[in-house]
Amino acid sequence: MTNSSHKADVAAGATAGPLATGPATCGPRGLARRQAILAAARRLFIEKGFEKTTLSDIIAVAGGSRATLYEHFGDKEGLFRAIMEEDNAMILSGLAPAQADDRVTPEAGLTAFALHLVKALLNEETTGTVRILISEGDRVPDIAEAFFRIGPENAIRRLAEYLQRLSNNGTLQIEDPAVAAQAFLGMVTGNLLVRRLILPQSAPAIPDLDRYVRQAVRLFLNGARASGTATPG
C-alpha cells in the first residue's frame, strides 16, 4: 500500500513483533474481541472506504489496543481478508447439508444453497464489501485478487466437488463440474447482484427471490440430468 494513512499504521505497528497466537487470541474473550474488531472494521470500510480507514479509526470504535489488533489480523489488509473469509464461510455453509447427506436430492441441495447464497449476497454488508472492491480494487490489487480466491473461486471449487460427486454416482451427467459450477452460480446471482449494486433499494421480495432461484435450479438440472432420470413434478 502507498497511501499515507496506511504508512502511519505500519509505522505505529512496527514494534508489534510477529503475529501472536497466545491467550489474547484464544477463548471466549479473545473471540469476542476479534468479532468486535471485525464488525468495526467492516462498518468503517463501508462508510469511509478501505484506503481512508486507519487502524486508529478501527480501535477507536472497537476498543482494545493496537497490539491486540495485530495479534488477531496483522494489518489492515489482514482485517479485510478476514472479513472476506467470514463472508465466504457463511455463504458456503449453505452447501454443507447437501455435501454431508447423500439423501438430499440435487433439487433440494442446490435450491437450499442458492437461496442461502443470494440472500447473503443481497445483504447490505456483503454488497458494501463488493462496492469497496469495485471502487478501490485498482488501488488495492492484492486485496481484489484475494477476494476472488477466497470468494468466487472457492465457491466454484466447493460446488464443483459436489457436482462431481453427483456425476460420479450417476445422478447427473456433467463433463466439466467446474464449468457447470460457474454457470450455476452465474445463473442464480448475476442479475440479482448487479441490480443490487446499481440500485441498492431494489432488493426483490423473498417470494420473488424464491421463485427466481427455483426456476434457475430447474433449468440447470434439466441440462445436467442423467439420461433416464425422472424430472420432478
Side-chain angles (χ1 to χ4, degrees):
M1 302 294 297
T2 59
N3 63 321
S4 59
S5 63
H6 178 62
K7 288 180 179 178
D9 282 332
V10 171
T15 60
L19 299 185
T21 56
T25 60
C26 301
R29 290 185 65 182
L31 291 175
R33 172 55 54 203
R34 184 180 190 278
Q35 288 305 118
I37 294 170
L38 277 177
R42 185 193 292 272
R43 173 183 144 196
L44 288 167
F45 289 155
I46 292 172
E47 290 177 356
K48 298 181 64 173
F50 179 81
E51 288 285 297
K52 292 182 180 179
T53 298
T54 67
L55 296 185
S56 297
D57 293 333
I58 295 166
I59 292 166
V61 173
S65 67
R66 186 178 293 271
T68 299
L69 191 151
Y70 273 94
E71 287 170 359
H72 282 287
F73 305 104
D75 55 16
K76 192 166 71 169
E77 287 88 344
L79 264 168
F80 202 90
R81 285 189 179 91
I83 289 170
M84 291 189 292
E85 288 167 357
E86 189 174 73
D87 287 348
N88 188 62
M90 182 268 293
I91 287 170
L92 289 179
S93 68
L95 187 59
Q99 289 179 309
D101 189 349
D102 288 335
R103 296 171 298 179
V104 177
T105 66
E107 291 82 7
L110 289 174
T111 299
F113 171 56
L115 281 170
H116 182 83
L117 171 66
V118 295
K119 288 175 183 177
L121 289 178
L122 295 179
N123 177 280
E124 286 186 16
E125 291 184 343
T126 306
T127 52
T129 301
V130 175
R131 285 192 186 96
I132 293 170
L133 290 163
I134 292 172
S135 64
E136 304 188 50
D138 59 335
R139 295 192 293 275
V140 286
D142 289 347
I143 294 295
E145 290 174 8
F147 166 78
F148 283 99
R149 290 194 304 272
I150 294 169
E153 290 177 10
N154 194 26
I156 289 169
R157 179 181 59 80
R158 289 281 298 277
L159 180 57
E161 291 171 357
Y162 174 62
L163 295 176
Q164 180 70 69
R165 193 180 83 197
L166 294 175
S167 187
N168 289 345
N169 67 24
T171 303
L172 300 181
Q173 190 172 11
I174 298 176
E175 293 183 5
D176 190 329
V179 170
Q182 187 169 358
F184 178 77
L185 293 173
M187 287 175 68
V188 299
T189 66
N191 182 62
L192 292 173
L193 182 57
V194 169
R195 186 174 181 84
R196 176 69 163 157
L197 289 169
I198 297 174
L199 300 170
Q201 306 306 318
S202 67
I206 295 299
D208 294 334
L209 197 61
D210 185 84
R211 284 193 294 272
Y212 176 90
V213 165
R214 291 181 186 280
Q215 183 171 6
V217 170
R218 284 196 298 271
L219 288 170
F220 176 80
L221 288 176
N222 283 339
R225 199 174 303 282
S227 178
T229 303
T231 303

PDB file of all heavy atoms in Angstrom, residues 163-184:
ATOM      1  N   LEU A 163     -20.956 -31.294  -7.400  1.00  0.00           N
ATOM      2  CA  LEU A 163     -21.472 -31.726  -8.705  1.00  0.00           C
ATOM      3  C   LEU A 163     -20.708 -32.938  -9.228  1.00  0.00           C
ATOM      4  O   LEU A 163     -21.296 -33.820  -9.871  1.00  0.00           O
ATOM      5  CB  LEU A 163     -21.394 -30.569  -9.701  1.00  0.00           C
ATOM      6  CG  LEU A 163     -22.280 -29.353  -9.401  1.00  0.00           C
ATOM      7  CD1 LEU A 163     -22.019 -28.248 -10.420  1.00  0.00           C
ATOM      8  CD2 LEU A 163     -23.746 -29.722  -9.358  1.00  0.00           C
ATOM      9  N   GLN A 164     -19.419 -32.987  -8.968  1.00  0.00           N
ATOM     10  CA  GLN A 164     -18.631 -34.155  -9.394  1.00  0.00           C
ATOM     11  C   GLN A 164     -19.132 -35.412  -8.702  1.00  0.00           C
ATOM     12  O   GLN A 164     -19.238 -36.475  -9.326  1.00  0.00           O
ATOM     13  CB  GLN A 164     -17.154 -33.936  -9.049  1.00  0.00           C
ATOM     14  CG  GLN A 164     -16.239 -35.089  -9.445  1.00  0.00           C
ATOM     15  CD  GLN A 164     -16.089 -35.207 -10.947  1.00  0.00           C
ATOM     16  OE1 GLN A 164     -15.477 -34.348 -11.581  1.00  0.00           O
ATOM     17  NE2 GLN A 164     -16.640 -36.266 -11.534  1.00  0.00           N
ATOM     18  N   ARG A 165     -19.457 -35.301  -7.431  1.00  0.00           N
ATOM     19  CA  ARG A 165     -19.981 -36.456  -6.701  1.00  0.00           C
ATOM     20  C   ARG A 165     -21.306 -36.914  -7.289  1.00  0.00           C
ATOM     21  O   ARG A 165     -21.537 -38.115  -7.472  1.00  0.00           O
ATOM     22  CB  ARG A 165     -20.164 -36.107  -5.219  1.00  0.00           C
ATOM     23  CG  ARG A 165     -20.408 -37.313  -4.326  1.00  0.00           C
ATOM     24  CD  ARG A 165     -20.586 -36.894  -2.905  1.00  0.00           C
ATOM     25  NE  ARG A 165     -21.965 -36.463  -2.658  1.00  0.00           N
ATOM     26  CZ  ARG A 165     -22.335 -35.752  -1.605  1.00  0.00           C
ATOM     27  NH1 ARG A 165     -21.455 -35.343  -0.719  1.00  0.00           N
ATOM     28  NH2 ARG A 165     -23.606 -35.418  -1.434  1.00  0.00           N
ATOM     29  N   LEU A 166     -22.172 -35.965  -7.625  1.00  0.00           N
ATOM     30  CA  LEU A 166     -23.457 -36.315  -8.224  1.00  0.00           C
ATOM     31  C   LEU A 166     -23.268 -36.944  -9.602  1.00  0.00           C
ATOM     32  O   LEU A 166     -24.028 -37.836 -10.000  1.00  0.00           O
ATOM     33  CB  LEU A 166     -24.344 -35.073  -8.339  1.00  0.00           C
ATOM     34  CG  LEU A 166     -24.806 -34.450  -7.027  1.00  0.00           C
ATOM     35  CD1 LEU A 166     -25.561 -33.154  -7.295  1.00  0.00           C
ATOM     36  CD2 LEU A 166     -25.670 -35.420  -6.227  1.00  0.00           C
ATOM     37  N   SER A 167     -22.258 -36.484 -10.315  1.00  0.00           N
ATOM     38  CA  SER A 167     -21.973 -37.072 -11.624  1.00  0.00           C
ATOM     39  C   SER A 167     -21.381 -38.473 -11.478  1.00  0.00           C
ATOM     40  O   SER A 167     -21.721 -39.391 -12.226  1.00  0.00           O
ATOM     41  CB  SER A 167     -21.005 -36.165 -12.395  1.00  0.00           C
ATOM     42  OG  SER A 167     -20.823 -36.619 -13.710  1.00  0.00           O
ATOM     43  N   ASN A 168     -20.506 -38.630 -10.489  1.00  0.00           N
ATOM     44  CA  ASN A 168     -19.873 -39.937 -10.267  1.00  0.00           C
ATOM     45  C   ASN A 168     -20.889 -41.018  -9.909  1.00  0.00           C
ATOM     46  O   ASN A 168     -20.728 -42.185 -10.284  1.00  0.00           O
ATOM     47  CB  ASN A 168     -18.821 -39.845  -9.160  1.00  0.00           C
ATOM     48  CG  ASN A 168     -17.584 -39.075  -9.600  1.00  0.00           C
ATOM     49  OD1 ASN A 168     -17.373 -38.843 -10.787  1.00  0.00           O
ATOM     50  ND2 ASN A 168     -16.774 -38.658  -8.640  1.00  0.00           N
ATOM     51  N   ASN A 169     -21.922 -40.626  -9.144  1.00  0.00           N
ATOM     52  CA  ASN A 169     -22.903 -41.643  -8.740  1.00  0.00           C
ATOM     53  C   ASN A 169     -24.048 -41.806  -9.745  1.00  0.00           C
ATOM     54  O   ASN A 169     -24.999 -42.552  -9.505  1.00  0.00           O
ATOM     55  CB  ASN A 169     -23.442 -41.366  -7.329  1.00  0.00           C
ATOM     56  CG  ASN A 169     -24.282 -40.092  -7.248  1.00  0.00           C
ATOM     57  OD1 ASN A 169     -24.844 -39.619  -8.236  1.00  0.00           O
ATOM     58  ND2 ASN A 169     -24.378 -39.522  -6.045  1.00  0.00           N
ATOM     59  N   GLY A 170     -23.944 -41.091 -10.880  1.00  0.00           N
ATOM     60  CA  GLY A 170     -24.917 -41.273 -11.952  1.00  0.00           C
ATOM     61  C   GLY A 170     -26.175 -40.441 -11.838  1.00  0.00           C
ATOM     62  O   GLY A 170     -27.064 -40.540 -12.688  1.00  0.00           O
ATOM     63  N   THR A 171     -26.256 -39.578 -10.816  1.00  0.00           N
ATOM     64  CA  THR A 171     -27.450 -38.744 -10.656  1.00  0.00           C
ATOM     65  C   THR A 171     -27.502 -37.662 -11.726  1.00  0.00           C
ATOM     66  O   THR A 171     -28.561 -37.365 -12.288  1.00  0.00           O
ATOM     67  CB  THR A 171     -27.472 -38.103  -9.261  1.00  0.00           C
ATOM     68  OG1 THR A 171     -27.409 -39.129  -8.275  1.00  0.00           O
ATOM     69  CG2 THR A 171     -28.730 -37.276  -9.051  1.00  0.00           C
ATOM     70  N   LEU A 172     -26.353 -37.043 -11.998  1.00  0.00           N
ATOM     71  CA  LEU A 172     -26.246 -36.027 -13.038  1.00  0.00           C
ATOM     72  C   LEU A 172     -25.203 -36.467 -14.058  1.00  0.00           C
ATOM     73  O   LEU A 172     -24.424 -37.397 -13.808  1.00  0.00           O
ATOM     74  CB  LEU A 172     -25.834 -34.670 -12.437  1.00  0.00           C
ATOM     75  CG  LEU A 172     -26.765 -34.057 -11.399  1.00  0.00           C
ATOM     76  CD1 LEU A 172     -26.221 -32.705 -10.942  1.00  0.00           C
ATOM     77  CD2 LEU A 172     -28.183 -33.908 -11.907  1.00  0.00           C
ATOM     78  N   GLN A 173     -25.199 -35.800 -15.185  1.00  0.00           N
ATOM     79  CA  GLN A 173     -24.227 -36.089 -16.233  1.00  0.00           C
ATOM     80  C   GLN A 173     -23.524 -34.782 -16.585  1.00  0.00           C
ATOM     81  O   GLN A 173     -24.047 -33.962 -17.332  1.00  0.00           O
ATOM     82  CB  GLN A 173     -24.931 -36.681 -17.466  1.00  0.00           C
ATOM     83  CG  GLN A 173     -23.991 -37.229 -18.512  1.00  0.00           C
ATOM     84  CD  GLN A 173     -24.742 -37.975 -19.604  1.00  0.00           C
ATOM     85  OE1 GLN A 173     -25.966 -37.903 -19.688  1.00  0.00           O
ATOM     86  NE2 GLN A 173     -24.019 -38.701 -20.435  1.00  0.00           N
ATOM     87  N   ILE A 174     -22.333 -34.603 -16.022  1.00  0.00           N
ATOM     88  CA  ILE A 174     -21.611 -33.337 -16.159  1.00  0.00           C
ATOM     89  C   ILE A 174     -20.190 -33.620 -16.611  1.00  0.00           C
ATOM     90  O   ILE A 174     -19.438 -34.318 -15.936  1.00  0.00           O
ATOM     91  CB  ILE A 174     -21.597 -32.569 -14.816  1.00  0.00           C
ATOM     92  CG1 ILE A 174     -23.029 -32.219 -14.385  1.00  0.00           C
ATOM     93  CG2 ILE A 174     -20.759 -31.301 -14.928  1.00  0.00           C
ATOM     94  CD1 ILE A 174     -23.112 -31.559 -13.041  1.00  0.00           C
ATOM     95  N   GLU A 175     -19.820 -33.068 -17.761  1.00  0.00           N
ATOM     96  CA  GLU A 175     -18.476 -33.298 -18.289  1.00  0.00           C
ATOM     97  C   GLU A 175     -17.426 -32.498 -17.533  1.00  0.00           C
ATOM     98  O   GLU A 175     -16.332 -32.989 -17.268  1.00  0.00           O
ATOM     99  CB  GLU A 175     -18.425 -32.941 -19.778  1.00  0.00           C
ATOM    100  CG  GLU A 175     -19.252 -33.858 -20.665  1.00  0.00           C
ATOM    101  CD  GLU A 175     -19.110 -33.504 -22.129  1.00  0.00           C
ATOM    102  OE1 GLU A 175     -18.294 -32.606 -22.453  1.00  0.00           O
ATOM    103  OE2 GLU A 175     -19.805 -34.113 -22.951  1.00  0.00           O
ATOM    104  N   ASP A 176     -17.728 -31.252 -17.210  1.00  0.00           N
ATOM    105  CA  ASP A 176     -16.770 -30.386 -16.524  1.00  0.00           C
ATOM    106  C   ASP A 176     -17.460 -29.736 -15.333  1.00  0.00           C
ATOM    107  O   ASP A 176     -18.131 -28.706 -15.477  1.00  0.00           O
ATOM    108  CB  ASP A 176     -16.240 -29.321 -17.490  1.00  0.00           C
ATOM    109  CG  ASP A 176     -15.055 -28.543 -16.921  1.00  0.00           C
ATOM    110  OD1 ASP A 176     -15.016 -28.372 -15.687  1.00  0.00           O
ATOM    111  OD2 ASP A 176     -14.194 -28.111 -17.707  1.00  0.00           O
ATOM    112  N   PRO A 177     -17.330 -30.315 -14.141  1.00  0.00           N
ATOM    113  CA  PRO A 177     -18.024 -29.777 -12.958  1.00  0.00           C
ATOM    114  C   PRO A 177     -17.655 -28.338 -12.633  1.00  0.00           C
ATOM    115  O   PRO A 177     -18.502 -27.577 -12.159  1.00  0.00           O
ATOM    116  CB  PRO A 177     -17.588 -30.733 -11.842  1.00  0.00           C
ATOM    117  CG  PRO A 177     -17.259 -32.008 -12.538  1.00  0.00           C
ATOM    118  CD  PRO A 177     -16.649 -31.592 -13.841  1.00  0.00           C
ATOM    119  N   ALA A 178     -16.412 -27.933 -12.881  1.00  0.00           N
ATOM    120  CA  ALA A 178     -16.009 -26.558 -12.571  1.00  0.00           C
ATOM    121  C   ALA A 178     -16.744 -25.559 -13.468  1.00  0.00           C
ATOM    122  O   ALA A 178     -17.211 -24.511 -13.001  1.00  0.00           O
ATOM    123  CB  ALA A 178     -14.501 -26.395 -12.731  1.00  0.00           C
ATOM    124  N   VAL A 179     -16.848 -25.889 -14.762  1.00  0.00           N
ATOM    125  CA  VAL A 179     -17.591 -25.019 -15.683  1.00  0.00           C
ATOM    126  C   VAL A 179     -19.069 -24.996 -15.304  1.00  0.00           C
ATOM    127  O   VAL A 179     -19.714 -23.941 -15.313  1.00  0.00           O
ATOM    128  CB  VAL A 179     -17.410 -25.492 -17.133  1.00  0.00           C
ATOM    129  CG1 VAL A 179     -18.358 -24.750 -18.065  1.00  0.00           C
ATOM    130  CG2 VAL A 179     -15.965 -25.293 -17.582  1.00  0.00           C
ATOM    131  N   ALA A 180     -19.613 -26.163 -14.955  1.00  0.00           N
ATOM    132  CA  ALA A 180     -21.020 -26.241 -14.566  1.00  0.00           C
ATOM    133  C   ALA A 180     -21.270 -25.434 -13.295  1.00  0.00           C
ATOM    134  O   ALA A 180     -22.288 -24.740 -13.170  1.00  0.00           O
ATOM    135  CB  ALA A 180     -21.426 -27.696 -14.356  1.00  0.00           C
ATOM    136  N   ALA A 181     -20.347 -25.512 -12.336  1.00  0.00           N
ATOM    137  CA  ALA A 181     -20.494 -24.762 -11.086  1.00  0.00           C
ATOM    138  C   ALA A 181     -20.479 -23.265 -11.355  1.00  0.00           C
ATOM    139  O   ALA A 181     -21.294 -22.505 -10.803  1.00  0.00           O
ATOM    140  CB  ALA A 181     -19.371 -25.138 -10.119  1.00  0.00           C
ATOM    141  N   GLN A 182     -19.573 -22.826 -12.218  1.00  0.00           N
ATOM    142  CA  GLN A 182     -19.509 -21.408 -12.555  1.00  0.00           C
ATOM    143  C   GLN A 182     -20.787 -20.955 -13.252  1.00  0.00           C
ATOM    144  O   GLN A 182     -21.313 -19.866 -12.966  1.00  0.00           O
ATOM    145  CB  GLN A 182     -18.291 -21.143 -13.442  1.00  0.00           C
ATOM    146  CG  GLN A 182     -18.036 -19.668 -13.709  1.00  0.00           C
ATOM    147  CD  GLN A 182     -16.690 -19.437 -14.370  1.00  0.00           C
ATOM    148  OE1 GLN A 182     -15.918 -20.364 -14.596  1.00  0.00           O
ATOM    149  NE2 GLN A 182     -16.395 -18.192 -14.693  1.00  0.00           N
ATOM    150  N   ALA A 183     -21.302 -21.792 -14.155  1.00  0.00           N
ATOM    151  CA  ALA A 183     -22.542 -21.445 -14.854  1.00  0.00           C
ATOM    152  C   ALA A 183     -23.709 -21.356 -13.883  1.00  0.00           C
ATOM    153  O   ALA A 183     -24.532 -20.431 -13.967  1.00  0.00           O
ATOM    154  CB  ALA A 183     -22.833 -22.489 -15.940  1.00  0.00           C
ATOM    155  N   PHE A 184     -23.784 -22.301 -12.948  1.00  0.00           N
ATOM    156  CA  PHE A 184     -24.883 -22.290 -11.985  1.00  0.00           C
ATOM    157  C   PHE A 184     -24.835 -21.035 -11.116  1.00  0.00           C
ATOM    158  O   PHE A 184     -25.862 -20.371 -10.905  1.00  0.00           O
ATOM    159  CB  PHE A 184     -24.826 -23.539 -11.113  1.00  0.00           C
ATOM    160  CG  PHE A 184     -25.897 -23.583 -10.055  1.00  0.00           C
ATOM    161  CD1 PHE A 184     -27.204 -23.914 -10.388  1.00  0.00           C
ATOM    162  CD2 PHE A 184     -25.610 -23.275  -8.733  1.00  0.00           C
ATOM    163  CE1 PHE A 184     -28.205 -23.938  -9.425  1.00  0.00           C
ATOM    164  CE2 PHE A 184     -26.597 -23.298  -7.761  1.00  0.00           C
ATOM    165  CZ  PHE A 184     -27.900 -23.636  -8.107  1.00  0.00           C
TER     166      PHE A 184
END
